[in-house]
Amino acid sequence: MPLIALGLNHLTAPVSLREQVAFDADAAGDALRALVSEPGVEEAMILSTCNRTELYVGTAAGAEDIPRAWLNRHHHLTPGKLDEFLYRHDEDDAVRHMFRVATGLDSMVLGEPQILGQVKDAYQLARGAQSLKAPMDRLLQHTFAVAKRVRTDTRIGAHTVSVAFTAVRLAEQVFTDLKQACVLLIGAGDTIELAARHLAEKQARRIIVANRTPETAQELAGRYGGYAIALADLPQHLAEADIVISSTAARQPIVTRAMVEQAMLARKRRPMFMVDIAVPRDIEADVGELPDVYLYGIDDLRQVIDENIRSRAAAAHDAEAIIDLQVDRYMAWRRALTVRNPALDMRQHAEVYRDEVLLKARGMLAHGKSPEEALAFLANTLTNKLLHHPSARLREAALNGDLDLLHAAGRLYGLDEDEDGRATRGE
């Protein structure tokens, strides 16, 4: 069953296109069920984040192009529209890609830890949709083990770096002293919580958290000494914000140009710094055209991120070596699924012999033979049946001088070990 990884990310596609192919969590389950119902698609997982949308798919031979066609059709795109932006990895390259994604080696911020949680969420969603079979389920379990080892054995995560941290760093470049800044955070997910944590460490003057669910906003704001508001009250509080960081799962913009225009009038030309790290975007793109408004999108963070990439390059090299080794191990397991296992055949033959001889021994007892006689027949006959073919092959090997086969048989039956189980060697 061929394995492919198909997708686009921040390196291959602009944010406007990534928005079009993003899957939200509520719809991803139905999308998975639709994907695995396609002819030739055996199993699948969808990973969709602000920086990437990827399909991991096990297909029947000859069906490798089905996921690409399905992705265009599912998002109502013109056939072939995505072709120049998509990448596809097959077999061991697909495994390597998954490992690199989960360890943060393929992230905009090298080594960022959030992606592993997103891969785990995608795995749970696929399990809920019953779109996984043994090969990909095993691959995901292996992926999590690899990611843990990379974190443990390298310094890829030695510095606290994430998209949220990068956004805060960028804000520091505009507002040198965050202790004088009021920050408005829109959303209450992991990215926003990380931003709130970094801002609290920087002792931002005031933190406001806006969320569709006021209780969720209150819980997050309370952890970091902030103030919570409902998303509906955003227009009344926007003018207070020197810095706005937004990351929600909304399908339409939350902050409009008209809202920001009114806020800037109230601010009397005091600048506003805005970072939109959501896909689809939370802030209308033309907000950046307004005077004294500095709007940065997810793709704009890359200049700040370059510095972090340099600091983690050596650790990434070590991580790649770990990944290469683990790719080989997983692919060896995967190939073994298609190889006939002689141990299973041997056991099956032995069980057939056992049943035949046991039936005859029971017949002997039923016809008045003594238990000792029946047991002796069972032991002798079963031994002869089990050893007949191996013995014939070994006699033939001895006559032909096939030492490799003779030594292999010794290892197989433990005949090259002493009484304590230690391997013996000829002098």
Side-chain angles (χ1 to χ4, degrees), residues 339-351:
V339 176
R340 184 175 179 180
N341 189 341
L344 297 178
D345 292 342
M346 185 170 64
R347 176 173 288 277
Q348 185 176 11
H349 282 296
E351 289 175 348

Side-chain angles (χ1 to χ4, degrees), residues 357 361 364 370-384:
V357 176
M364 292 174 65
S370 69
E372 291 80 5
E373 196 173 356
L375 284 173
F377 167 81
L378 187 150
N380 292 330
T381 305
L382 186 58
T383 299
N384 290 334

Side-chain angles (χ1 to χ4, degrees), residues 2-219:
L3 172 67
I4 67 170
L6 175 76
L8 46 78
N9 63 17
H10 60 284
L11 296 175
T12 69
V15 65
S16 58
L17 187 60
R18 301 202 303 271
E19 289 175 336
Q20 294 183 59
V21 298
F23 292 86
D24 59 51
D26 294 336
D30 290 337
L32 276 169
R33 284 183 281 271
L35 178 53
V36 294
S37 70
E38 291 287 304
V41 175
E42 304 290 341
E43 55 180 344
M45 185 185 81
I46 296 175
L47 175 63
S48 189
T49 73
C50 60
N51 282 330
R52 71 182 66 246
T53 290
E54 294 179 338
L55 310 180
Y56 293 89
V57 186
T59 72
E64 292 90 341
D65 291 329
I66 296 295
R68 181 190 299 264
W70 175 85
L71 186 62
N72 276 284
R73 191 170 66 251
H74 180 81
H75 290 293
H76 309 291
L77 300 175
T78 305
K81 179 177 180 179
L82 296 176
D83 286 357
E84 66 177 295
F85 304 100
L86 288 172
Y87 46 81
R88 181 178 125 184
H89 305 289
D90 297 328
E91 292 294 285
D92 52 345
D93 288 336
V95 175
R96 180 175 290 102
H97 181 72
M98 181 179 282
F99 290 172
R100 295 186 79 254
V101 167
T103 53
L105 295 181
D106 196 60
S107 295
M108 179 182 289
V109 179
L110 182 65
E112 64 96 358
Q114 283 179 279
I115 185 64
L116 178 58
Q118 292 166 328
V119 174
K120 289 181 176 180
D121 290 342
Y123 169 61
Q124 292 300 330
L125 199 152
R127 289 191 65 187
Q130 298 183 326
S131 65
L132 298 181
K133 292 184 178 179
M136 194 173 296
D137 193 283
R138 173 69 172 260
L139 173 58
L140 268 299
Q141 296 299 330
H142 205 126
T143 297
F144 302 145
V146 170
K148 181 178 180 180
R149 180 173 175 185
V150 167
R151 291 282 162 186
T152 302
D153 294 355
T154 76
R155 293 181 59 79
I156 196 72
H159 305 286
T160 306
V161 180
S162 66
V163 171
F165 181 75
T166 305
V168 173
R169 281 281 302 274
L170 198 57
E172 278 189 298
Q173 294 179 14
V174 178
F175 292 87
T176 305
D177 187 3
L178 291 182
K179 294 178 182 178
Q180 303 301 317
C182 174
V183 185
L184 171 62
L185 302 176
I186 305 175
D190 291 343
T191 301
I192 290 298
E193 177 158 8
L194 282 171
R197 182 186 305 168
H198 295 313
L199 288 163
E201 291 172 355
K202 300 289 184 181
Q203 299 180 336
R205 177 174 63 84
R206 190 181 189 204
I207 297 175
I208 302 173
V209 180
N211 192 56
R212 195 175 304 279
T213 306
E215 293 79 11
T216 305
Q218 183 61 58
E219 181 181 352

Side-chain angles (χ1 to χ4, degrees), residues 8 36 63 121 129 133 158 167 202 217 222 247 275 293 308 343 390 393 417:
L8 46 78
V36 294
D121 290 342
K133 292 184 178 179
K202 300 289 184 181
S247 179
V275 181
V293 174
N308 303 323
R393 296 294 181 271
E417 296 178 351

